[in-house]
């Protein structure tokens, strides 16, 4: 028997799963599998053992053969690609167990020439980042942490709008689970009944008037239990499980999100946010409220009136209406 290396095992395990999952719970006899994968029985055993390490539920019977029972709830390339309905987004996909930050990996891959639409996911981040160097709590197995590499043919000042288009795609996705409760807190938070369920971190690399890449990092709290957040965020954070009161399949949600994101991004390239403004107004948690926006050292206070086609928040101030491209929002309590 020829011994297989890890890459070969990975590829064969992938083929095997794709093949047997077509008929769940049905036994595929040994001869058929050996012929399909062009392996002897010993090699097939090694492939099965490898597939089991991905936490698939596979039933193996000496006399009957092998049956696919259920996929795992884990973010693997095999699972995400299976039934992924996008045309290009996420077709170049890398899934990790633990990384420092998926945004850093995406930036490294971008340097090496990775294609637009490359997606990086991780089960856990040891140094998940928010904006301004803040920490993003990224425990293993319960959330979704991903980064998407875009290479738009746009000016750098059009990059923040991509973040808003991403928020629309994410809100559309979550709305399927939570009709009417999803809010976007401009520019990058998704809130459910006032608590943060997801955040977006957009990082731009540009030279002069040319964008080299835009990396959009998204963190979504999915299956954390109600008491599962650390003290610093336990009163401000929530998870989808906490809100819908059941565990949610992360792979399915991610597939829906990638499909929505592909659509919103393509739309953005042509129309900016013009066609999403009605939706943005409906999702916005800020419109009509008095807020203060901090951008660097400057503070602007006014009433949030609208979001324009570039993703700017239109603030009605004492000096008239001003568009704000980015910043930290605080709601002024009266
Ligand atoms: C964000 O920053 O909301 C952007 C978060 C982006 C995370 C993704 S995960 C994949 C990719 N890779 C990365 O390294 N990052 C991206 P900001 O608006 O600065 O919010 C950060 C604040 O949110 C923190 O200071 C906490 O108060 C709070 N926070 C931290 N972890 C949280 C969590 N899991 N759920 C809700 N709130 C959290």
């Amino acid at each position: 028997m020829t011994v297989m290396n890890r890459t070969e095992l990975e590829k064969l395990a992938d083929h095997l799963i794709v093949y047997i999952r077509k008929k769940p719970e049905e036994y595929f006899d040994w001869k058929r599998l050996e012929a399909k994968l062009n392996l002897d029985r010993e090699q097939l055993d090694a492939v099965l053992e490898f597939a089991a390490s991905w936490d698939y539920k596979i039933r193996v019977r000496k006399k009957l053969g092998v049956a696919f029972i259920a996929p795992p709830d884990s973010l693997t390339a095999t699972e995400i690609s299976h039934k992924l309905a996008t045309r290009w987004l996420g077709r170049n996909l890398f899934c990790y167990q633990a990384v420092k930050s998926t945004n850093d990996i995406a930036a490294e891959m971008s340097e090496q020439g990775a294609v637009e639409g490359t997606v990086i996911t991780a089960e856990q981040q040891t140094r998940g980042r928010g904006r301004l160097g803040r920490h993003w709590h990224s425990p293993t197995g319960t959330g979704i942490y991903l980064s998407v590499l875009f290479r738009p043919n746009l000016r750098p000042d059009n990059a923040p709008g991509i973040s808003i288009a991403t928020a629309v795609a994410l809100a559309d996705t979550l709305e399927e689970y939570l009709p009417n409760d999803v809010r976007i807190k401009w520019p990058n938070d998704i809130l459910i009944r006032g608590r943060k369920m997801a955040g977006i971190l957009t990082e731009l690399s540009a030279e002069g008037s040319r964008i080299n890449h835009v990396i959009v990092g998204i963190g979504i709290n999915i299956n954390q239990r109600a008491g599962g957040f650390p003290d610093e965020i336990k009163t401000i954070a929530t998870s989808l499980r906490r809100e819908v009161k059941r565990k949610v399949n992360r792979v399915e949600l991610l597939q829906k999100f990638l499909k929505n994101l592909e659509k919103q991004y393509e739309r953005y390239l042509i129309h900016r946010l013009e066609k999403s403004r009605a939706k943005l107004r409906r999702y916005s948690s800020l419109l009509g409220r008095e807020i203060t926006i901090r951008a660097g050292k400057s503070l602007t206070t006014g009433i949030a009136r609208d979001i324009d086609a570039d993703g700017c928040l239109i603030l009605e101030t004492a000096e008239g209406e001003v568009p704000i491209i980015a910043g930290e929002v605080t709601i002024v309590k009266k």
Side-chain angles (χ1 to χ4, degrees):
M1 171 189 104
T2 37
V3 179
M4 289 171 285
N5 64 31
R6 194 185 161 85
T7 320
E8 286 167 327
L9 278 171
E10 221 162 34
K11 217 167 125 196
L12 287 162
D14 191 71
H15 283 335
L16 174 74
I17 285 160
V18 170
Y19 185 53
I20 63 174
R21 79 185 304 170
K22 284 185 188 139
K23 292 186 178 161
E25 310 215 5
E26 207 170 279
Y27 282 95
F28 287 68
D29 68 58
W30 295 105
K31 284 276 159 295
R32 187 172 166 192
L33 291 175
E34 282 169 28
K36 178 79 190 165
L37 297 173
N38 197 16
L39 298 173
D40 61 30
R41 177 59 195 277
E42 220 172 317
Q43 289 170 319
L44 192 53
D45 282 343
V47 170
L48 277 166
E49 203 179 309
F50 192 85
S53 74
W54 285 341
D55 289 338
Y56 282 90
K57 272 200 198 129
I58 294 171
R59 204 166 284 149
V60 179
R61 293 283 180 271
K62 245 190 198 144
K63 284 195 182 139
L64 295 170
V66 180
F68 181 89
I69 306 300
D73 179 34
S74 50
L75 303 176
T76 62
T78 307
E79 275 313 293
I80 297 167
S81 305
H82 183 71
K83 294 192 179 162
L84 180 64
T86 58
R87 280 181 295 108
W88 54 273
L89 191 86
R91 293 288 161 189
N92 192 34
L93 175 65
F94 300 89
C95 301
Y96 295 87
Q97 275 304 315
V99 298
K100 281 186 184 163
S101 157
T102 54
N103 268 32
D104 293 346
I105 305 231
E108 283 161 25
M109 288 196 180
S110 170
E111 294 297 307
Q112 289 155 18
V115 293
E116 172 157 73
T118 296
V119 168
I120 318 291
T121 72
E123 288 283 2
Q124 181 190 8
Q125 295 185 118
T126 50
R127 278 206 211 139
R129 286 187 273 121
R131 294 178 301 161
L132 306 169
R134 286 186 290 240
H135 173 68
W136 185 258
H137 179 61
S138 316
T140 189
T142 51
I144 296 178
Y145 319 108
L146 81 146
S147 297
V148 184
L149 171 66
F150 290 119
R151 298 189 186 281
N153 190 8
L154 297 173
R155 289 192 323 271
D157 56 354
N158 284 133
I162 296 176
S163 205
I164 310 286
T166 304
V168 172
L170 188 49
D172 281 351
T173 310
L174 294 172
E175 205 179 43
E176 275 193 44
Y177 299 78
L178 283 162
N180 303 319
D181 283 330
V182 181
R183 296 286 172 274
I184 297 174
K185 183 180 171 209
W186 182 93
N188 73 318
D189 290 355
I190 299 285
L191 306 181
I192 309 293
R193 296 186 264 272
R195 285 170 177 252
K196 187 158 169 172
M197 185 178 284
I200 299 168
L201 172 69
T202 298
E203 295 179 314
L204 166 72
S205 154
E207 276 165 55
S209 62
R210 221 189 101 251
I211 288 181
N212 175 27
H213 69 224
V214 176
I215 290 169
V216 184
I218 303 116
I220 319 167
N221 302 324
I222 308 280
N223 284 326
Q224 286 95 337
R225 290 172 186 279
F229 291 101
D231 283 352
E232 319 85 83
I233 56 170
K234 70 177 183 202
T235 57
I236 57 164
T238 191
S239 70
L240 192 50
R241 179 181 187 168
R242 181 176 180 269
E243 300 299 329
V244 299
K245 315 239 174 330
R246 65 179 165 86
K247 263 186 106 173
V248 172
N249 184 298
R250 291 179 302 155
V251 172
E252 247 173 63
L253 189 146
L254 180 57
Q255 289 167 333
K256 288 179 191 173
F257 170 61
L258 292 176
K259 176 85 182 142
N260 286 335
L261 182 57
E262 183 178 85
K263 182 168 120 195
Q264 290 301 332
Y265 177 73
E266 286 178 350
R267 189 177 279 184
Y268 184 78
L269 292 182
I270 300 169
H271 305 287
R272 302 294 176 274
L273 295 164
E274 202 50 60
K275 299 204 164 183
S276 305
R277 286 181 73 188
K279 237 180 206 175
L280 271 166
R281 289 184 191 114
R282 183 164 67 76
Y283 283 136
S284 175
S285 69
L286 298 179
L287 298 191
R289 305 186 76 165
E290 187 175 7
I291 62 173
T292 296
I293 303 184
R294 175 193 291 275
K297 283 186 181 148
S298 104
L299 284 178
T300 320
T301 296
I303 301 189
R305 284 298 178 207
D306 206 352
I307 295 167
D308 73 12
D310 294 318
C312 292
L313 189 74
I314 306 296
L315 202 61
E316 183 189 314
T317 68
E319 285 80 45
E321 289 196 343
V322 273
I324 313 260
I325 185 83
E328 289 290 302
V329 173
T330 320
I331 294 165
V332 179
K333 294 216 171 75
K334 287 234 161 127

